Each structure stands twice: as C-alpha cells, then as structure tokens.
Amino acid sequence: MATPSTEIVESDILIIGGGMSGCGAAFEANYWGRNLRVVLVEKAVIERSGATGEGLSAINCYMGQRYGWNTPTDFVNYVVNDMMGLAREDLVYDVGRHVDSSVHLLEEWGLPIWKKENGEYERIGRWQIPIHGESIKPITAEPARTALGPENLYERVAVTHLLTDANDPEKIAGALGFSVRENKFYVFKSKTVIITTGGASNVFRPKSINEGTGRTWYSVFATGSAYGLMIPIGTEMTQMEHRFVPTRFKDGYGPVGMWFQYFHAQVLNALGEDYTVTRDDELRKYEPYGSAVPTPTPLRNHQMFMDIQAGLGPMYMRTDQAMQRLAAGDPAKMDEVRAEAWEDFLDMTISQALTWAALDIAPEETPSEVVLAEPYIMGSHSGEAGAWVSGPEDLSPPDYFWGYNKMTTIRGLFAAGDGVGAAPHKFSSGSFTEGRLAAKAAVNYVTDHQAVPTLNDSHVKGIQEAILAPMVTFDRYKGVSTAEEVNPHYITPRQGLVRLQKIMDEYAGGASMAYTTNESTLVRGIHLIGLLREDLAHLAARDRHELMRCWELIHRTWVGEAHMRHLLHRKETRWPGYYYRADYPKLDDENWRVFVNSKYNAANNEWDVFTKPYLKIVT
C-alpha cells in the first residue's frame, strides 16, 4: 500500500462541517475577518451536506418579531418547558434574538417562503413558517462557497481528530483528517476551530430493519462527529444523557409537524380515541411541566406510549379526516390540499412519499400509521446534547461565561448547531444563526490571540498511523479467509456498527426495551462498550470509503459511551417518553433540576461526570 502524502493547511479559523451552521460560520467569519484566512473542511460537498441536505418543508425556529408574534423571552420559556425545565436560557435567548435576521438573509439569497396575500409570512405553528425548501442547502451553500473561495474549501475530506497545542493541552491547535478520494492526509493547523458537524443517528438500532435497512429519521450522514471529535481531547460536555425520540410516520419516517400544525390532523388509537384526552390525568404527575402549553414533547410521547403499551395500537394519523375537513367538499380545494400534502414530504422526506405509493395510500382517503422511532442524540432539534459552551457576555452569569460566545472549555475551540449542548430547538435557522455567532466570536478570539499554535510532530504522525490502521489491517489479513467479511483477524465497520446498535438498544433503553433501563443494565452496557472499544482497534477497511465508515463508527461509539455514563449519573426519569429509569421512575426537580456534565481524561482513560446548576436568567 502506497504511503499517503501529507498536506499542511494553516489558517486563522478552521470550520469543520459544511451543514447549516458551518455555512453560516463561513459567511460570517469572512464578513468580520476579511484579513483572516478562514478554511472549511467537509466530508462531502456543502451543497448537499448536513441534516438539511435532503431539503426541508418549514423553518421551525422563527420568532416573527416584526409581526409581533413572539419575543426571545417567549422562546426561552417555551424551550425550557419543552425540555422539562432544563435548558441554558442565555444560549436559547441568544439564538432567539438573532434568528429572524438569519431567516430574512436566507430569503434574500433565494429561499422561497410561503406568504399571505398581504406579503406577510404564512404561519403553521407558533415558531414555524412553511417554505419551498427542497433547495435550502444549495441556497445556503452558495454564499459560503463564494465567501471562502476555492482555495479555502476542502471537500471530500473526513476529519477524525482534533489537535491541541503541544505546550498547552487546554488550547486548540487544529485538526487531522484524510481525503476520501485520494491517498492523502491533511493537517489543519489553526488558531481557532469551530465544530459545526452533526449529531448522531444510528447509535441506536433503528426500528426500520431488513426491508427498510438504512432508513432513519435524522440524516444517516450525521455520525456523532460533533461529539466524537470533542470528547477525546477533554472538552466538557453537557446533557449527553438527553435523547430525542421522534413521533414519525411508520417506515418512511416522515415528520408529523406539518400535519399537526398546518393540516390540524389528529393521531388516534385503533379505537378512535385521542390519547392526549384519555391520558390527560397522566400529565398531572409531571407538574409544573404537565400544565405547560404546549404539552412538552416527551410527555406527548409518553401519553402515546401508554396507549401502545396497553394494546390500543396501531396509532393512526387521520390524514383523511384532516384533508377532507380542509377541502370542505370542494374538488378544486382538495387538489390544492393534496398537492400540499405530497409536497411536504417531497421537499424533505421522499421516503415517506415512496412509502405511501408502495402501500397504495391516498392520504385523503386512508390514514397512516404513526410510531415512536428509535432515540437520536443531538443538540439542534428536540435534543440538547453537546458541548458546555460560554454564553454571550451581556446575558450570561459567571458560571456560564468565560470570555467568548460559543467557546468550549478548550480555549479557541468553538461549537455551533448540534455541537452546542443545553440549547435545543434551533433547527436549521437557529443552527445557521449559531454558526454566525460562533464565527464572530472566533474572529474576536483571533484578534486577541495572535500566537500561532504549536504541533507535536510525533503525535501527529502517531494519529496518522492510527487513522490508516484499518486499511493496513485489511491489507495484511485479507488472504486469510475466502470471504472478506469473515476473518479471524478483523471486523468490518458494518459489523462494528451492528454490535454498537445492539448494545445501545438493549442496555441504554432503546425501542426494543420500551425505552427503559436501570443502573445495573447501564453498568453492564458500559462494560460492553469498553469491550467494543478494544475491538475497534481491529477494524478493517477495504478502501477509503470504508475507512471513513470506520472512523464514523468510532465517533458513534464515543457518543454511545457518553450517553450511558450520563444516563447512569442522572437518577431520575426527567424525560418520560424519551427514556425511563425503572429504578428511578419519577421526575425529581428538587435534586435533579441540574445539568449533567462530563469530561474524559485520555491520560488515564477515565470519565468525570458531575453537575452544573440551572440558573434562571430570562424573566
């Protein structure tokens, strides 16, 4: 096997990940730091990378301040309630006060937003505006590509490791990765790094298997690298125990938001009952959040789950009733409603449209099954896992502020989107906004800290050898067996992923275990994750694509371990409907309305898991 070449790329600001937050960071960093070199590296191409690469049917985070719809304070109150009392109010407010201008910028760039006859944005929920969003990502990527210039955009390069300063492990120095198309390493040396990579799908075993293998709700390209990059260098993380279990159309994973908010459809059980009505008393067990309006997402899940457990399924989204009600017997109106129903999924979840077609479902005539999916670990949607970052100077108390907005506990390392913890409900527009805020702060950091970081060459070389090891392993042992997938000397990334998903599903409260776990089960799962991590040293890759899959698996494994360690530490069921601690079945605000944080120490392979206070900031 030929020795890879190495290219060293020096920059002032390095952005890792070309999704919505990465594109926002690139655009903003170029605006404020015109004399700085800003580099973005992406494992795919930025026109279709990230969670919105498939398209989108609505902007789910928009205040509408110019219309008097909401204020950032309203947004904070909503998010804190939906998270059952736990969110960083300073970070949520910061997104809320800036997100509208970001949406207007996207519209200026060409994003088609639905409008009323008077020119006002159409509105389908308190925070949602519908869009024709199949091309939201190319629209967002073009200004970022223009701002960077071709010499500063590295695509088809998978970043696997962050690098800290040789003289100061608490200070960032860059990153290391490899080309997925060429036999080449890249050493990115930079004064600051902004993590804008994705949260984690496929850590848990998906419900859709066999015929539907590979289909998940969250982007399969979101492999947990936001966390898998930061955890190993000792970045303080927060809320990694939190997961999001989405209610979605069965098999196709089509989102239900438009159906609830625009079509005003109901999900009813097999007896035609509305679980939000028949299970209303269940909400009283979780006050004050049970009385919040709207009902927090995990509690709505919990109500549905109780019906499912009681044998009252399948649960059906009554698309037929909703569409017929909207059409009111007018065939022309029904044509319009039907087009909107199909466009909702053709814009962003084509698999759901295909599922309808494959099952001969006309949604105006036939209801569709709805299920609770497998868990996802993320920080941008209805999940709040991520790094513990500094908030903005004008809002954040000393416990939440250490110099630069969105900077992690590693100096010069910033995060946005899925990478920021305890700040959920950003969605695409908020992630884009957070990328802009992180970039502006990074520019300020570089202005204040001009010193060029120092790299340890032998350390870099050791990481390069580790990165390439799966290809070396395969090349050495490929002749031992007649079937490449069956070999006593190695495992493939697919085999490792199946093993990770089995562990997470069975020990960390996955779908097959009714989202339920306990202390002894988690302890066993952590032990099995440790054995898996040992065996990951024997991964094999037949080509550079599989090499990328190997490192995606390693990142997902970091996520899985962090998730279980945090779940073990939080001795309560804070989010029923997302997970249940059978040994601590109640919500415990008195003792556990706190953030669970952690730091990994690579020197001794130990985790420190602890709590940080929840502070009321916005009134």
Side-chain angles (χ1 to χ4, degrees), residues 145-160:
R145 186 179 288 277
T146 301
L148 291 167
E151 70 280 7
N152 295 317
L153 180 57
Y154 291 79
E155 295 175 302
R156 306 293 185 187
V157 175
V159 172
T160 60

Side-chain angles (χ1 to χ4, degrees), residues 3-9 176 183-187 460 464:
T3 302
S5 62
T6 298
E7 180 177 342
I8 298 175
V9 180
L176 191 57
N183 191 27
K184 189 174 186 179
F185 282 121
Y186 286 90
V187 178
V460 170
Q464 288 178 321

Side-chain angles (χ1 to χ4, degrees), residues 411-428:
R411 295 194 311 281
L413 177 63
F414 295 78
D418 278 323
V420 171
H425 286 284
K426 298 181 282 261
F427 301 100
S428 59

Side-chain angles (χ1 to χ4, degrees), residues 10 16 18 27 157 195 217 247-248 291 296 325 409 429 443 478 491 512 541 578-579:
E10 298 195 26
I16 304 176
F27 176 80
V157 175
I195 295 293
W217 162 70
T247 299
R248 291 296 180 261
S291 295
R325 185 168 54 248
T409 54
S429 54
V443 170
K478 61 186 177 183
I491 62 173
S512 77
Y578 288 173
Y579 78 84

Side-chain angles (χ1 to χ4, degrees), residues 88 90-91 94 97-98 389-394 396 401-408 414-415 434 437-442 444:
R88 280 276 300 273
D90 53 335
L91 300 178
D94 201 26
R97 66 179 170 179
H98 292 294
V389 303
S390 176
E393 184 175 9
D394 63 326
S396 304
F401 177 75
W402 49 91
Y404 299 90
N405 196 8
K406 309 295 179 290
M407 189 170 76
T408 72
F414 295 78
E434 212 167 53
L437 293 169
K440 188 174 182 179
N444 290 335

Side-chain angles (χ1 to χ4, degrees), residues 317-351:
M317 176 72 78
R318 296 312 302 255
T319 59
D320 52 337
Q321 295 176 0
M323 293 174 71
Q324 290 164 20
R325 185 168 54 248
L326 284 173
D330 183 347
K333 179 63 175 176
M334 178 56 81
D335 287 342
E336 179 184 327
V337 172
R338 185 185 298 110
E340 289 169 349
W342 284 88
E343 182 185 352
D344 179 35
F345 295 127
L346 292 172
D347 268 347
M348 63 170 176
T349 316
I350 294 174
S351 62

